[in-house]
Amino acid sequence: MDISYRLPQKRALLTELPGPRSQELTARRRATVAAGVGSSVPVYAADADGGVIVDVDGNSMIDLGAGIAVTSVGASDPAVAEAVREQVGHFTHTCFMVTPYEGYIAVAEKLAELTPGDHEKRSVLFNSGAEAVENAIKVARLATGRDAVVAFDHAYHGRTNLTMALTAKTMPYKTNFGPFAPEIYRMPMSYPYRDQPGLTGEQAALASIDRIEKQIGADAVAAVIIEPIQGEGGFIVPAPGFLPTLQAWARENGVVFIADEVQTGFCRTGLWFASDDEGIVPDIITMAKGMAGGMPLSAITGRADLLDLVHAGGLGGTYGGNPVACAAALAAIETMTALDLSGRARHIESLAMPRLRALAEETSVIGDVRGRGAMLAIELVQPGTDIPDPVITKAIAAHALAEGVVLLTCGTYGNVIRLLPPLVISDELLDDAMTVLENTVRTLAAQ
């Protein structure tokens, strides 16, 4: 991969973690930041580039989280940084709904080009994934004149009132935050590791469709929303045939099929979008995270006949499609294209997946290895069972951090380690991180 890095791409610990400066910041944080805001690791970033994060104590850590799949092009990609500087020098905001600008249109043009399908498309830009999901549901309800929305077990779609209702996991996302938006219905997800043995994707989808038709009625459903690979729910990859069967049913019944690609989009899974893997062409696709190199930007892109039904003023927001974020997105997409980061994601999979599978064979605490591209996971269980083990999962993340590797956990049961490295991580750095993970799992499995 032809890329130069600004910071040394190596793991180097100068202090124990957290170091003294990070501990000072934690004390200041407790005095001013609400306790409800959590952080995965107790260290504070001072710099980041490529596959490393340097904390305020000078420790260089390997980043296998990418800000939850955001900094795919790295946290300080030169093209993104230069585009942001250039745009800030002209203007930071006018509000597209007041005085529009070219950057917003250019991003929409790129999304029409990159998203699945060759049909006529329209896009709207927002700030966060949750906003994108909210607006996709708004469009679907207006276009169909129906109210019901189908989501799935283990889903994560956001933290706003509507998206909390769509999200499956109660703690920490929903507990004591209700009542939630009505007319949300949850159906079984294809979860190959935990499904009945031999259950195909098509069979799993037909079972969910049967419940939809019996419990809601097809003519009452405005939309089906699904992550092609579930993120926070545990990096669950549905069995082949699950998504195409659902989409075919939606099309036959006038239901808007929404692919939530907030986490899977923009080369993360080895294709521009995870929907491409089985040739799914969503009616609406939601995007954010890796879209703009770390700047806050999200979007919905969908069929022109759907989005153009919405009355003028019905979609938008003060900061939606901010010009600086749009400039960052155009630069990030240019970097993704120039470096073939879809191919890079597949390369990362080819390096990491065999080692994860070998580790699962060697130890008794890994029940499943799954994922696609640079969106990989191991599911931790009690030895010899499929009982989730969130305790060892948390311990693995903490032990790896002590060795200078940032890992994220996820899953409905809190028992999944997810690997989301920046797509520009070097082979050497990834190899080092994988060695730390392997040694960590071996050590803790033996205790």
Side-chain angles (χ1 to χ4, degrees):
M1 183 173 58
D2 184 20
I3 183 172
S4 60
Y5 302 101
R6 183 175 51 80
L7 297 176
Q9 298 296 292
K10 63 180 181 178
R11 178 170 57 101
L13 298 184
L14 305 181
T15 72
E16 292 186 354
L17 300 179
R21 180 69 177 133
S22 281
Q23 294 180 46
E24 292 174 10
L25 287 171
T26 294
R28 288 171 57 188
R29 169 182 177 152
R30 288 181 183 138
T32 54
V33 179
V37 181
S39 295
S40 297
V41 298
V43 298
Y44 290 79
D47 208 346
D49 176 52
V52 298
I53 299 172
V54 178
D55 76 0
V56 291
D57 291 289
N59 299 297
S60 179
M61 300 165 289
I62 303 175
D63 180 13
L64 294 188
I68 317 183
V70 169
T71 54
S72 296
V73 298
S76 55
D77 174 60
V80 172
E82 179 57 34
V84 167
R85 280 191 291 267
E86 173 72 17
Q87 181 57 50
V88 167
H90 291 288
F91 61 94
T92 61
H93 177 78
T94 63
C95 184
F96 191 76
M97 297 183 302
V98 178
T99 308
Y101 35 87
E102 184 179 359
Y104 190 117
I105 299 167
V107 170
E109 290 170 338
K110 274 295 180 184
L111 295 180
E113 173 190 334
L114 296 172
T115 52
D118 56 6
H119 54 283
E120 189 175 1
K121 302 171 187 174
R122 298 288 185 269
S123 293
V124 190
L125 306 184
F126 304 100
N127 305 286
S128 68
E131 274 188 273
V133 169
E134 291 251 358
N135 281 277
I137 299 299
K138 283 165 58 175
V139 171
R141 283 175 164 165
L142 182 148
T144 62
R146 306 171 182 176
D147 297 327
V149 177
V150 172
F152 291 84
D153 288 339
H154 313 290
Y156 179 84
H157 295 291
R159 297 171 182 256
T160 59
N161 187 265
L162 173 59
T163 57
M164 277 193 297
L166 294 167
T167 292
K169 189 174 180 179
T170 181
M171 189 67 184
Y173 306 116
K174 301 168 70 170
T175 301
N176 297 326
F177 292 148
F180 303 114
E183 288 300 304
I184 304 297
Y185 299 86
R186 194 165 312 284
M187 295 297 154
M189 175 68 180
S190 172
Y191 193 160
Y193 175 60
R194 296 192 174 275
D195 282 346
Q196 179 182 345
L199 185 70
T200 68
E202 181 181 9
Q203 290 168 338
L206 291 174
S208 290
I209 289 167
D210 183 62
R211 289 182 59 172
I212 293 169
E213 292 179 338
K214 288 178 178 176
Q215 296 182 18
I216 313 168
D219 59 357
V221 179
V224 167
I225 183 167
I226 190 167
E227 302 154 272
I229 299 176
Q230 291 186 317
E232 182 64 23
F235 280 31
I236 299 166
V237 183
F242 185 78
L243 294 172
T245 303
L246 278 177
Q247 186 191 34
W249 175 85
R251 185 180 296 116
E252 291 166 5
N253 290 277
V255 175
V256 177
F257 187 88
I258 303 171
D260 182 343
E261 296 238 25
V262 167
Q263 188 160 165
T264 53
F266 294 95
C267 305
R268 174 55 56 180
T269 66
L271 297 165
W272 276 99
F273 294 94
S275 296
D276 291 325
D277 185 68
E278 289 191 84
I280 300 300
V281 179
D283 297 310
I284 299 175
I285 185 169
T286 65
M287 299 157 277
K289 289 192 180 291
M291 180 176 179
M295 294 297 289
L297 187 68
S298 68
I300 62 173
T301 297
R303 288 168 31 204
D305 61 303
L306 291 177
L307 270 71
D308 281 349
L309 287 173
V310 181
H311 49 275
L315 300 172
T318 301
Y319 294 106
N322 171 270
V324 180
C326 286
L330 293 170
I333 291 169
E334 182 179 338
T335 294
M336 292 174 207
T337 303
L339 297 180
D340 184 21
L341 291 192
S342 289
R344 180 64 189 166
R346 295 190 296 272
H347 178 69
I348 289 170
E349 179 184 354
S350 74
L351 297 178
M353 186 65 89
R355 296 177 68 166
L356 294 176
R357 287 177 175 149
L359 187 64
E361 289 291 327
E362 177 187 342
T363 66
S364 59
V365 297
I366 298 176
D368 193 31
V369 177
R370 56 180 178 258
R372 196 155 65 233
M375 186 175 179
L376 306 174
I378 54 175
E379 179 165 351
L380 284 301
V381 294
Q382 296 178 14
T385 76
D386 63 359
I387 299 172
D389 193 342
V391 175
I392 194 173
T393 306
K394 186 176 181 180
I396 289 170
H399 192 284
L401 177 65
E403 296 296 318
V405 176
V406 176
L407 290 174
L408 302 180
T409 63
C410 66
T412 296
Y413 314 107
N415 69 321
V416 175
I417 294 286
R418 52 178 161 174
L419 307 184
L420 285 168
L423 301 183
V424 294
I425 192 171
S426 69
D427 288 2
E428 296 77 13
L429 203 61
L430 180 62
D431 175 69
D432 187 19
M434 291 299 300
T435 299
V436 170
L437 175 60
E438 290 162 342
N439 291 338
T440 296
V441 173
R442 291 187 188 111
T443 299
L444 295 176
Q447 292 179 357

